[in-house]
Amino acid sequence: MIASVLRRGSKPICQGFLSGMPVLAQNVKINPYSLHQVMSYSENSQPKHTIDFGFKEVPVDEKESLVRQVFSSVADKYDIMNDLMSAGLHRCWKDRLVQVLSPFSGMKHLDVAGGTGDVAMRVLRAVRTAELEDWGRASSSSNGEPGSVVVCDINAEMLEAGKRKWSLSDISEDQGLSWVQGNAEQLPFEDNTFDSYTITFGIRNVTNRDAALREALRVLKPGGRILILEFSQVKDPVLRQVYDLYSFNVIPAVGGLVAGDASSYQYLVESIRKFPDQETFAGMIRSAGFKWVTYENLLGGIVAMHSGFKLKA
């Protein structure tokens, strides 16, 4: 996987909306709130009995079902709402993710919390393109085996929405895409299975993020890469003010009109503000055992893409 990343070049896309260079997260600064959040599940501390659900505090054992209700409610309108909320920019961010991932022939990829298949189908297309380019040449990466992509999501309604979209896509006949219902904190896969792992706009909804990161490390092969795309923290005060005004006033209203569910989108907006900042989250990834951890800010930090590698079995 690492060799593939170094071997393949990439050209910027959606340049007007992608800003910032990858940052090597070495001297991680942790703010008091995020430290409290990181330590919530530490083996050396008492478990936290409540956890954030947006701006509310709920019992830890209830968050999973509450999040499931949110996504069950919005599944049918999820893709439309993504376009409306981001003015289509989520497509650029996902394209950037796949560009950085640099899929190769024979790649075995896992997309977690990937219900509607947006990222998974992009990755599979890129894998097939790489395989066509390698056609007729010996491929040291794949040994001739075709690549595959697994979508894993805890929510059955999201998976069904993804399957419907896949059935209408240009790759509906491709047998390399599979759908599995599963929990990011307890993945139903063997150790050292996948070359790469992505989770896009999903990690902030996971109850125990440390457990999810450890599971990602477990199922990756040595040399495998994790890429996490998530809404993050905006540092520029002017942009942050504009972003907050838009988020809290426009997004729930649009959710009410289009999806008939303003409260679910209110939660999604609030959950972004409760998510750790870029450096703190990079520290969590490193604590899970990943190496070479970096992040790249997109659109001034509205979105951040974190990257790490598993170097040992």
Side-chain angles (χ1 to χ4, degrees):
M1 176 67 196
I2 296 174
S4 172
V5 171
L6 296 176
R7 183 169 64 248
R8 289 183 178 273
S10 60
K11 297 181 180 179
I13 56 175
C14 301
Q15 293 183 9
F17 303 104
L18 303 178
S19 61
M21 296 297 290
V23 177
L24 181 61
Q26 292 180 333
N27 300 317
V28 177
K29 299 177 182 178
I30 301 179
N31 61 48
Y33 168 77
S34 296
L35 178 60
H36 180 64
Q37 187 174 39
V38 171
M39 293 299 292
S40 296
Y41 290 93
S42 170
E43 294 177 357
N44 299 318
S45 66
Q46 293 297 316
K48 190 181 176 186
H49 298 295
T50 62
I51 194 169
D52 59 275
F53 178 73
F55 289 161
K56 301 174 185 176
E57 286 286 314
V58 300
V60 169
D61 58 3
E62 291 183 10
K63 180 170 180 176
E64 183 179 305
S65 64
L66 290 170
V67 170
R68 184 183 289 113
Q69 290 171 30
V70 167
F71 285 93
S72 295
S73 173
V74 304
D76 287 338
K77 301 291 185 181
Y78 186 76
D79 287 333
I80 294 173
M81 282 298 299
N82 279 346
D83 278 329
L84 292 174
M85 290 188 301
S86 71
L89 291 180
H90 74 101
R91 298 172 183 268
C92 293
W93 299 329
K94 291 168 183 174
D95 286 344
R96 175 62 179 162
L97 178 84
V98 176
Q99 181 187 56
V100 172
L101 186 64
S102 193
F104 54 84
S105 296
M107 185 181 204
K108 307 299 182 186
H109 179 73
L110 175 63
D111 184 41
V112 174
T116 63
D118 233 17
V119 169
M121 287 190 275
R122 281 171 165 82
V123 173
L124 185 59
R125 289 187 186 98
V127 169
R128 294 293 179 254
T129 297
E131 289 170 348
L132 285 173
E133 291 174 353
D134 289 343
W135 188 265
R137 301 196 305 265
S139 175
S140 59
S141 298
S142 67
N143 296 318
E145 284 188 29
S148 60
V149 177
V150 177
V151 179
C152 181
D153 198 292
I154 198 170
N155 190 284
E157 286 83 0
M158 291 289 284
L159 287 170
E160 288 304 313
K163 290 176 185 177
R164 287 194 295 271
K165 181 167 68 175
W166 176 49
S167 70
L168 300 174
S169 74
D170 59 313
I171 56 171
S172 60
E173 300 300 318
D174 196 312
Q175 299 301 306
L177 185 61
S178 56
W179 309 79
V180 174
Q181 187 172 4
N183 191 329
E185 298 172 27
Q186 295 177 309
L187 293 171
F189 308 109
E190 298 293 328
D191 297 0
N192 307 312
T193 298
F194 298 99
D195 296 298
S196 52
Y197 170 115
T198 53
I199 181 167
T200 303
F201 305 125
I203 191 73
R204 76 181 189 280
N205 299 308
V206 174
T207 302
N208 190 338
R209 295 164 190 147
D210 296 319
L213 291 169
R214 291 192 296 269
E215 277 291 272
L217 187 77
R218 180 183 66 80
V219 302
L220 280 170
K221 299 176 184 177
R225 187 178 198 178
I226 185 172
L227 282 177
I228 301 173
L229 196 65
E230 187 54 87
F231 291 109
S232 196
Q233 304 301 319
V234 178
K235 302 301 182 184
D236 182 85
V238 176
L239 178 59
R240 184 169 61 245
Q241 184 176 17
V242 173
Y243 180 46
D244 284 347
L245 285 170
Y246 174 76
S247 297
F248 287 103
N249 292 282
V250 176
I251 291 177
V254 173
L257 288 171
V258 176
D261 188 352
S263 62
S264 289
Y265 286 93
Q266 181 71 30
Y267 155 73
L268 293 173
V269 169
E270 292 176 1
S271 69
I272 294 168
R273 300 324 190 269
K274 300 293 282 186
F275 191 70
D277 63 31
Q278 290 88 327
E279 288 287 347
T280 303
F281 188 54
M284 293 173 66
I285 297 170
R286 292 176 69 229
S287 294
F290 287 96
K291 307 299 182 184
W292 298 357
V293 176
T294 62
Y295 65 85
E296 177 182 351
N297 282 326
L298 308 176
L299 199 60
I302 288 177
V303 172
M305 178 169 55
H306 283 74
S307 169
F309 289 89
K310 175 179 178 176
L311 299 187
K312 296 181 181 179

